[in-house]
Amino acid sequence: MPLSPRLNRRAGSPFRARTSRHRKAALLASAVSVCLLAAAAPPEPLGVGDRLYPYLGNPGYDVASYDLSLTYPGTNEKPLQAVTTIDARATADLDRINLDFAHGTVQSVEVDGHRADFATVGEDLVVTPDHSLDEGSWTRIRVKHTSDPAAAKDEDGGWVRTTDGLAMANQADAAHLVFPCNDHPSDKAMFTFHVTAPNGYTVVANGLPAGVDRAGRSTTWTYRTRHPMATELTQVSIGRSAVLHREGPHGLPVRDVVPSADAKALEPWLAKTPDQIAWLEGKVGPYPFETYGVLMAQASTGFELETQTLSLFEKNLFTESSFPAWYKESIMVHELSHQWFGDSVSPRTWSDVWLNEGHATWYEALYAEESAQRSLENRMKAAYAASDSWRAAGGPPGRPEPPSPGQKIGIFRPNIYDGAALVLYALRQEIGRPDFERVEREWVREHRDSTATSADFVRLASTVSGRDLSGFFQGWLYGAKTPPMPGHPDWKASSPEKSGKPHRKASSPEKVGKPHRKASGPVKQGKHDRRGSGPVRSPKAGEPRTPR
């Protein structure tokens, strides 16, 4: 196994000091035998034990940084050549290192400059270096591989093909379809991207630009993050794009990436971002990253996605005139809100995802109320009526049902969107608006650039309010039935039998129960999405979109 037992070789071990010479010899022989058996054992896939994605992530190390070098061949139908370099610290004695990687050809692996053996098992790349790694030691892993933009068999997500290139959509479990990694939000790291593409293409990635080098017929673009990032939030856009620059609050650099031919038509929407950032800063505090912007891709995805510092949108959301303007703006605010809730403060486990989506939905709805007079209370009342149905279908907000095999969209049901926003509304009703707003500000300040759990949120709310709220949250986050709404004894939850199918599409964007097709990859017209319950397509004009 990768966590193979080895002798305790640390000097001064009290166990060693108490051991007789003969006992030492016996123990040494036994330990060597165990090590030989472990080394001979076949490699196996591991995970960090996430309840919803048990094979995501890997134990035994903590990644500090990724350096991704990608070479785009000039077509999105062929694999990219890639080198992924990982700097990590061992958190246990390791004889093997498991990485998540499932869609590409591994050509070679080096550990600390030495060639290493490797094998692919399940969705893991299992690396056996020529030397063991001691707990606390640092290591550098370099994997030379391909990165395939074609959809893998029975897999969606990772690269998204656009009409003129590529973008990424890695949530929740698809980053390892693009590059070898520790693909779980609990292990955030710094990122550097070097992307080489033929001249005429523009490349933009998470973070800030750190150089553009042209050599002959190709150009290499470099970007670096200044804050740690979860693998599911990585973004690389390659296309014939225009990059539009503007200034946000406090001089924040804002850059948007759009198809060059659409830059003028999309400018009125892009110009709204600085004021939206200022609005959110007024609610929860300073914007947490080094830059922000909107990537409007010419692709059929059926969703929008909060990739860190560069949110992904389907361009048609803004060019189809049948979508109400207030609705488009609220979706922009949804993804922007994620920069605080989900990106800066990331979920420790995927069961904590309600903290991402509930907050983004909350500020989406609050913005619609304040800017377009769309009643937040009416939306929450409608959500309350549907909540028991959502809980029956997808679990309560704090404990979503695991995805069914081949249907990973399952965790992104309405119970963690409007159902989770309903929890926040109930909390505001319970402790009052001033304390609620203080909880929100302190949450993003206390856990900035880190991860947090539902229990952390309960503790903070209890501290701020001055009373134990664990019982309150127990019902709202984990109960099979929706608790009574504080201040609204007249609100009634419809029984699942009477409320109809919980995933039925709403007839207009302002209604709850949006078809949250949380697909993490390209969804084409009529294609059956393995994470959903049936055929998935981009919504027709007038149907609600899917913020992620």
Side-chain angles (χ1 to χ4, degrees):
M1 291 181 62
L3 299 180
S4 302
R6 293 195 277 116
L7 284 175
N8 186 341
R9 296 191 298 268
R10 293 172 177 76
S13 166
F15 175 77
R16 175 179 288 182
R18 292 195 301 267
T19 305
S20 69
R21 179 178 302 176
H22 295 294
R23 184 169 174 79
K24 281 183 184 178
L27 286 170
L28 178 61
S30 175
V32 169
S33 175
V34 169
C35 287
L36 290 173
L37 287 172
E44 61 179 327
L46 296 177
V48 293
D50 191 284
R51 185 181 67 87
L52 297 174
Y53 296 104
Y55 288 103
L56 276 189
N58 294 285
Y61 63 91
D62 177 40
V63 177
S65 66
Y66 293 93
D67 187 298
L68 273 61
S69 294
L70 301 163
T71 300
Y72 180 67
T75 172
N76 59 15
E77 296 180 351
K78 294 181 179 179
L80 291 76
Q81 294 297 317
V83 177
T84 296
T85 303
I86 301 171
D87 286 329
R89 184 179 63 85
T91 58
D93 293 340
L94 294 174
D95 291 320
R96 289 177 179 158
I97 306 161
N98 277 47
L99 301 172
D100 299 306
F101 188 54
H103 191 43
T105 300
V106 178
Q107 296 154 341
S108 65
V109 180
E110 293 180 359
V111 177
D112 298 327
H114 301 278
R115 298 277 291 202
D117 293 333
F118 60 89
T120 299
V121 185
E123 295 195 345
D124 277 17
L125 172 63
V126 184
V127 178
T128 305
D130 67 353
H131 61 285
S132 299
L133 305 179
D134 291 330
E135 180 181 353
S137 65
W138 285 89
T139 188
R140 173 167 290 179
I141 307 158
R142 183 179 184 272
V143 184
K144 185 178 181 182
H145 61 97
T146 62
S147 185
D148 197 342
K153 182 180 180 181
D154 298 326
E155 297 279 2
D156 287 320
W159 289 114
V160 173
R161 292 181 181 180
T162 65
T163 57
D164 60 348
L166 293 170
M168 280 188 195
N170 294 329
Q171 196 178 66
D173 63 332
H176 69 284
L177 301 181
V178 178
F179 61 97
C181 57
N182 201 27
D183 198 5
H184 193 270
S186 60
D187 192 2
K188 299 168 71 167
M190 305 296 282
F191 277 78
T192 299
F193 303 88
H194 310 278
V195 185
T196 301
N199 296 334
Y201 285 89
T202 298
V203 175
V204 183
N206 310 93
L208 293 172
V212 179
D213 299 311
R214 182 167 180 171
R217 297 182 177 180
S218 64
T219 302
T220 299
W221 308 70
T222 299
Y223 289 84
R224 290 191 177 93
T225 65
R226 291 186 179 177
H227 297 264
M229 180 169 66
T231 52
E232 52 119 355
L233 300 173
T234 49
Q235 182 58 266
V236 172
S237 167
I238 305 170
R240 301 190 183 278
S241 310
V243 182
L244 308 177
H245 297 273
R246 68 196 79 240
E247 189 174 285
H250 323 296
L252 177 75
V254 177
R255 49 87 173 91
D256 302 303
V257 184
V258 300
S260 296
D262 299 298
K264 184 176 181 180
L266 293 171
E267 173 60 25
W269 296 105
L270 302 172
K272 297 178 183 295
T273 296
D275 286 344
Q276 292 171 346
I277 296 173
W279 182 84
L280 269 162
E281 286 192 332
K283 300 298 182 185
V284 296
Y287 177 74
F289 296 125
E290 63 272 27
T291 186
Y292 185 66
V294 169
L295 166 59
M296 294 187 178
Q298 182 61 60
S300 178
T301 59
F303 59 82
E304 329 303 334
L305 182 62
E306 66 272 16
T307 41
Q308 190 163 308
T309 73
L310 186 62
S311 293
L312 173 66
F313 290 83
E314 185 177 325
K315 188 202 76 171
N316 287 349
L317 170 64
F318 300 93
T319 56
E320 291 179 359
S321 59
S322 56
F323 289 115
W326 70 264
Y327 178 71
K328 297 176 186 180
E329 291 187 50
S330 72
I331 298 304
M332 292 176 72
V333 170
H334 180 109
E335 305 307 332
L336 175 60
S337 301
H338 273 307
Q339 303 302 309
W340 286 264
F341 300 95
D343 294 11
S344 179
V345 184
S346 299
R348 188 81 49 80
T349 75
W350 278 110
S351 295
D352 302 309
V353 70
W354 76 273
L355 289 164
N356 300 18
E357 301 301 346
H359 277 101
T361 303
W362 173 261
Y363 289 105
E364 166 200 333
L366 190 61
Y367 184 84
E369 179 176 68
E370 294 188 8
S371 66
Q373 294 74 54
R374 315 300 301 191
S375 171
L376 172 68
E377 182 173 313
N378 287 349
R379 179 167 177 172
M380 292 298 98
K381 184 177 182 180
Y384 191 89
S387 180
D388 277 0
S389 178
W390 293 340
R391 289 171 184 248
R399 192 172 176 82
E401 290 291 330
S404 300
Q407 295 183 334
K408 294 186 181 181
I409 195 173
I411 71 168
F412 295 104
R413 304 174 178 121
N415 60 326
I416 63 164
Y417 288 86
D418 281 83
L422 191 65
V423 177
L424 298 176
Y425 182 80
L427 177 62
R428 194 178 75 170
Q429 291 289 106
E430 180 74 11
I431 66 176
R433 189 184 299 262
D435 278 354
F436 175 82
E437 292 176 351
R438 183 182 165 198
V439 168
E440 296 291 276
R441 288 178 171 272
E442 293 198 11
W443 176 253
V444 296
R445 180 188 58 80
E446 182 176 331
H447 298 288
R448 182 177 181 179
D449 287 339
S450 186
T451 64
T453 67
S454 301
D456 292 327
F457 191 79
V458 173
R459 281 193 292 269
L460 176 61
S462 297
T463 299
V464 169
S465 66
R467 56 195 179 93
D468 184 2
L469 293 172
S470 56
F472 168 86
F473 277 107
Q474 181 65 33
W476 279 99
L477 289 179
Y478 307 111
K481 297 291 185 181
T482 310
M485 176 59 71
H488 293 287
D490 57 316
W491 285 14
K492 304 297 181 185
S494 302
S495 66
E497 295 77 14
K498 293 181 179 179
S499 60
K501 294 181 180 179
H503 302 296
R504 185 161 41 196
K505 294 177 181 177
S507 59
S508 60
E510 65 267 27
K511 293 185 179 180
V512 298
K514 289 183 261 188
H516 294 293
R517 299 182 304 273
K518 222 17 200 183
S520 58
V523 181
K524 298 191 182 299
Q525 191 82 8
K527 180 177 179 181
H528 180 83
D529 188 324
R530 70 187 179 91
R531 283 154 296 194
S533 57
V536 176
R537 55 172 171 77
S538 297
K540 295 179 181 178
E543 289 180 349
R545 298 289 303 170
T546 307
R548 296 182 65 175

